[in-house]
Amino acid sequence: MIVKAIELQLLQLEGVFSKSKGNIYSDKKKEKYFEDLYLLFDAIKKADIEKYDYNLQGIHYQILNYIFGALEFLDNSTLNLIPFETVFCLEKVLDEWISDDNFIIATSLSNRNLDFYFMGENVEFFKLMNDTIEKLYGLKISKRLIKIVLPRVLSRDYLSIVVLYHELGHFIDIELNISQNIFFKKFGFKSSYSNTEIQEHHHTMEYFADVFASQYINDASNLFLNYISAGTLDSTTHPATKKRVEFVDKFLNGEKIGLIDEFNLVLAAQSKQQIEIRHSVFDADSSDFNEFIPQQINSENELHSVFKLGWDFWNNSETNTLNKVPKKQRYNIINNLVEKSISNYIVVSKWQNL
């Protein structure tokens, strides 16, 4: 039965690859990753699956499922769906925390209007897959995907896209085992944990992602959070919005916070940098946005702050120069200004590095 299932997967993938081969990606790493997937698919297609034992057939079934999932994220990471400017900013952040080059930030679009979340990859399966295909086919998938899901309707909305900094924080947290280390240090290794203990672990993860994002974009993520969930109380997975906002505000105000000290202890043990403010905030009143031109960005610290500037300009749109234009145009103007500010920075920085 599993052989027939694999045959079906191969036929389905044939069609998916056929549709995806014309994709244009924002960087060479995604192109190479697509090629790796196709070479693996082609090798499996030519293999005599029936000669493998049941366990190895099962692994092949999972490998083909992995290829399906990876193609979905690649298809949604093309230039015409996801703005290159957003991925560029996220990759800058990633480079500061993860030293190797074996990751790709890939996105998938959801049809739900507030679906922002990070999807973790099964690292153990990824290693098993690579070991297997290297032995059998002499191939290797060299990159791991950082899978971020965002709403299709907001994929080019620079006000809400600040959530992606929070989602990238979740990836860094899991990759470096930060919240998990704190959890085990506090509750020890046990066969099971109480609901209260599990809830505290989840809340620690959310606080980490919140403060991680605020290092780069100030309170921009909180501003959006307040738009969509002000008044939300504690849940099993998330602290109350009020607590999250206060946590970040204290960090931005330089107040001492015990949990951030714990984050930094774990990071120090891995010789990683500390949680600290890594941005310079633009003064919205004197920014270039007042002239309806893109903000000149002079450094990476300022690069991420342009999202905060967008939010400040939006929240003050009744009193700043935006009040001169019809309300229905203000939203589009801000999104265009943020996008052009980042794209101009990309062009200038690449030019200077030639």
Side-chain angles (χ1 to χ4, degrees):
M1 180 61 76
I2 195 167
V3 173
K4 294 300 292 179
I6 291 172
E7 287 175 358
L8 180 60
Q9 282 179 312
L10 288 168
L11 290 170
Q12 292 169 333
L13 274 172
E14 189 87 57
V16 177
F17 272 112
S18 178
K19 291 177 183 174
S20 302
K21 64 182 180 183
N23 286 346
I24 300 175
Y25 302 107
S26 58
D27 59 64
K28 296 293 183 186
K29 288 194 295 187
K30 292 189 180 71
E31 290 180 14
K32 175 67 170 59
Y33 185 74
F34 179 86
E35 291 170 7
D36 288 347
L37 293 176
Y38 185 78
L39 286 174
L40 175 57
F41 158 74
D42 195 49
I44 294 175
K45 188 175 67 173
K46 293 173 180 173
D48 184 1
I49 298 295
E50 291 192 46
K51 75 178 182 184
Y52 297 145
D53 64 30
Y54 186 80
N55 181 54
L56 196 50
Q57 289 173 353
I59 291 173
H60 276 76
Y61 183 82
Q62 292 181 62
I63 290 173
L64 293 173
N65 271 341
Y66 174 90
I67 295 175
F68 263 119
L71 283 176
E72 177 195 341
F73 275 82
L74 282 182
D75 280 351
N76 284 306
S77 297
T78 56
L79 275 176
N80 62 330
L81 289 177
I82 299 297
F84 171 68
E85 290 78 6
T86 300
V87 176
F88 176 84
C89 291
L90 294 176
E91 287 180 338
K92 286 289 180 187
V93 174
L94 178 67
D95 288 344
E96 291 185 27
W97 293 87
I98 302 296
S99 55
D100 66 47
D101 191 34
N102 292 327
F103 291 96
I104 301 173
I105 294 177
T107 50
S108 184
L109 300 178
S110 166
N111 288 325
R112 299 174 61 182
N113 68 338
L114 291 177
D115 245 0
F116 291 93
Y117 59 92
F118 158 73
M119 285 179 65
E121 276 200 324
N122 186 318
V123 179
E124 293 306 316
F125 173 74
F126 185 82
K127 291 176 180 174
L128 173 63
M129 175 177 71
N130 262 335
D131 288 345
T132 303
I133 63 177
E134 196 163 16
K135 287 176 185 172
L136 293 175
Y137 307 113
L139 299 171
K140 192 171 184 179
I141 302 294
S142 58
K143 308 291 185 188
R144 277 176 55 201
L145 290 182
I146 299 174
K147 298 178 176 178
I148 293 176
V149 178
L150 68 160
R152 186 179 303 276
V153 294
L154 298 179
S155 63
R156 290 182 180 272
D157 178 309
Y158 288 93
L159 295 177
S160 60
I161 225 162
V162 293
V163 181
L164 299 187
Y165 282 82
H166 171 98
E167 298 305 323
L168 185 57
H170 278 309
F171 170 78
I172 299 295
D173 183 16
I174 293 171
E175 193 67 19
L176 301 182
N177 295 315
I178 298 167
S179 297
Q180 189 176 65
N181 268 293
I182 293 171
F183 177 76
F184 287 141
K185 182 180 178 182
K186 184 169 185 178
F187 298 111
F189 293 94
K190 299 187 291 190
S191 58
S192 63
Y193 296 90
S194 70
N195 290 336
T196 302
E197 291 168 340
I198 293 171
Q199 176 173 307
E200 182 168 330
H201 180 45
H202 288 159
H203 286 194
T204 300
M205 294 176 71
E206 291 304 320
Y207 283 129
F208 179 84
D210 284 339
V211 79
F212 181 88
S214 69
Q215 294 179 105
Y216 296 94
I217 56 172
N218 202 267
D219 62 350
S221 184
N222 275 357
L223 292 170
F224 181 63
L225 182 65
N226 260 328
Y227 264 59
I228 61 173
S229 64
T232 298
L233 301 176
D234 277 340
S235 71
T236 305
T237 57
H238 291 72
T241 296
K242 183 173 183 292
K243 292 179 182 177
R244 295 173 62 181
V245 169
E246 288 176 350
F247 185 80
V248 168
D249 285 346
K250 285 181 180 179
F251 166 69
L252 294 173
N253 291 328
E255 295 183 35
K256 185 173 177 56
I257 305 173
L259 185 54
I260 292 181
D261 291 341
E262 293 185 64
F263 292 150
N264 282 332
L265 277 175
V266 177
L267 289 166
Q270 301 181 51
S271 300
K272 296 291 184 181
Q273 58 193 336
Q274 300 284 281
I275 296 292
E276 59 187 14
I277 294 175
R278 304 174 186 280
H279 63 271
S280 306
V281 177
F282 292 108
D283 181 351
D285 292 334
S286 59
S287 74
D288 296 332
F289 280 13
N290 287 283
E291 305 297 328
F292 298 118
I293 59 175
Q295 176 64 40
Q296 180 174 332
I297 298 174
N298 300 304
S299 67
E300 287 189 14
N301 285 352
E302 290 184 353
L303 171 67
H304 306 291
S305 292
V306 76
F307 292 96
K308 162 71 172 168
L309 176 60
W311 266 102
D312 287 344
F313 219 60
W314 169 255
N315 280 334
N316 295 321
S317 57
E318 298 300 325
T319 55
N320 60 28
T321 53
L322 274 180
N323 68 9
K324 299 173 184 174
V325 298
K327 285 187 176 181
K328 67 179 181 181
Q329 293 182 14
R330 297 177 187 178
Y331 168 79
N332 290 331
I333 287 173
I334 290 176
N335 274 309
N336 286 334
L337 288 175
V338 172
E339 183 174 273
K340 296 295 185 300
S341 300
I342 298 171
S343 61
N344 285 353
Y345 175 79
I346 293 172
V347 171
V348 171
S349 57
K350 286 187 174 180
W351 177 262
Q352 290 172 340
N353 289 330
L354 287 177

